[in-house]
Amino acid sequence: MKNTTIPLLGVSCLLLVGCSSSFAKVRGAVNQAPDWYETRRVEIRGEGYPELVDVPTIAPGEEPGKTLPASGLRVAALTAEFANNARAELPADGPAKIAAVGNAIRQQFAGFDESSNFLTDAEIAAIRNSFNVPRVTQGLKGQR
């Protein structure tokens, strides 16, 4: 009994000392945490959110139906301003420039082989032979 009690007490003391130093390290790390850490902790805990039973009150004059015509008028005004702006007009040579860019890209790809058979028959046979393992492909046929 004495032989097991002393090692158990020694191990318990070592664990206690090790845990106490790790708690101090964790506490130090929390104290040195960046600014966003406390906000994230509150978010994870679920604190600071409104309750579902709390119904927000709408201020007078801000009812959803009353603000839609005003936003529609604002969109119409912005659309008219955009249409009247000189920068919104397409340049006279716009389509020609777009076609020139398309032709330049096509010429870059002109040197490539367009066929889907980009491997030669010899390369295909070499790939098939690399996967041909006789003990697997032929050995199973003879066991039946």
Side-chain angles (χ1 to χ4, degrees), residues 54-66:
D54 295 338
V55 178
T57 57
I58 298 174
E62 292 186 7
E63 291 84 10
K66 290 185 179 179

Side-chain angles (χ1 to χ4, degrees), residues 77-102:
L78 289 173
T79 304
E81 184 180 340
F82 177 77
N84 294 333
N85 193 340
R87 294 179 61 193
E89 294 180 19
L90 186 65
D93 61 343
K97 286 183 178 179
I98 293 172
V101 169

Side-chain angles (χ1 to χ4, degrees), residues 5-15:
T5 305
I6 294 172
L8 285 176
L9 287 175
V11 168
S12 300
C13 290
L14 288 174
L15 285 174

